[in-house]
Amino acid sequence: MDDFTKVIVSENDISRKLDDIAEQIRTDYAGKDVLLVGVLKGAVMVMADLARRLPPSFQMDWMAVSSYGSGTKSSGVVRILKDLDTDLTGRDVLIVEDIIDSGITLHWLLNNLRSRGANSVEVAALLRKPEAVQVDIDVQYVGFDIPSDFVVGYGLDYAEKYRTLPFVAILKPEVYGG
Ligand code: IMP
Ligand code: MG
């Protein structure tokens, strides 16, 4: 399995960072019953590991959206493939994301969820690429700012592969024809 140039975020890095983020979330949302919204499929790992560090009154729900197809560039068009089961009226919502790249998905998602009458909608993202920093989106909790290389692992895929890796690694450009 020599498909990666290097591991940029290790299993240990992730674990320690999630401890920090969870502590901030517990403080910021003290006494509130938060709805964690995960974006399938990439956020599955970060959701599972973050949610287990949060109070058991917190709930989880899932959305599936598509902005990428199977390639490595955002198409700019976001479609809902699976919507939430939960009514957001009056809820404190925390979107749990794997990575913010162009920010297109998140920008769209924030507008969409805010229009449903939530009390608050914030974002926790494990990874953020440089391009996203320039987009005017307020991301409350960010794990790691990483270079703009295409990365895989810990939920992130290339053509549905590599999601199961316990770390985040840079995929060799040869693998995706880059
Ligand atoms: P954005 O709309 O460009 O911010 O991209 C959002 C989604 O694209 C993420 O939730 C990921 O599913 C996917 N994505 C962006 N960058 C990468 C990457 O480096 N590897 C794998 N998936 C990525
Ligand atoms: Mg993806």
Side-chain angles (χ1 to χ4, degrees), residues 68 97-105 129 150-151 156-157:
Y68 264 59
E97 261 283 34
D98 48 1
I99 190 167
I100 310 169
D101 182 3
S102 70
I104 290 170
T105 309
K129 288 190 185 175
F150 194 77
V151 292
L156 291 163
D157 73 303

Side-chain angles (χ1 to χ4, degrees), residues 18 21-26 28-29 32-40 43-64 82-88 91-97 109 113 116 118 120-125 140-141:
L18 290 181
I21 292 177
E23 194 181 331
Q24 288 174 51
I25 293 172
R26 284 199 306 265
D28 294 350
Y29 290 94
K32 290 183 174 161
D33 290 333
V34 175
L35 178 69
L36 302 170
V37 170
V39 183
L40 294 170
V44 163
M45 303 297 180
V46 59
M47 173 70 103
D49 287 340
L50 181 62
R52 280 181 286 184
R53 289 165 162 84
L54 296 171
S57 59
F58 281 31
Q59 295 163 32
M60 285 190 288
D61 201 350
W62 300 92
M63 266 180 101
K82 185 228 171 279
D83 206 348
L84 298 172
D85 298 326
T86 315
D87 179 5
L88 298 191
R91 298 302 305 264
D92 292 297
V93 176
L94 183 59
I95 300 171
V96 177
E97 261 283 34
L109 200 59
L113 299 189
R116 303 188 196 191
S120 67
V121 184
E122 299 294 348
V123 182
Q140 199 84 355
Y141 312 97

Side-chain angles (χ1 to χ4, degrees), residues 71-92:
T72 61
K73 282 273 180 301
S74 185
S75 66
V77 180
V78 181
R79 285 186 304 136
I80 296 183
L81 305 177
K82 185 228 171 279
D83 206 348
L84 298 172
D85 298 326
T86 315
D87 179 5
L88 298 191
T89 312
R91 298 302 305 264
D92 292 297

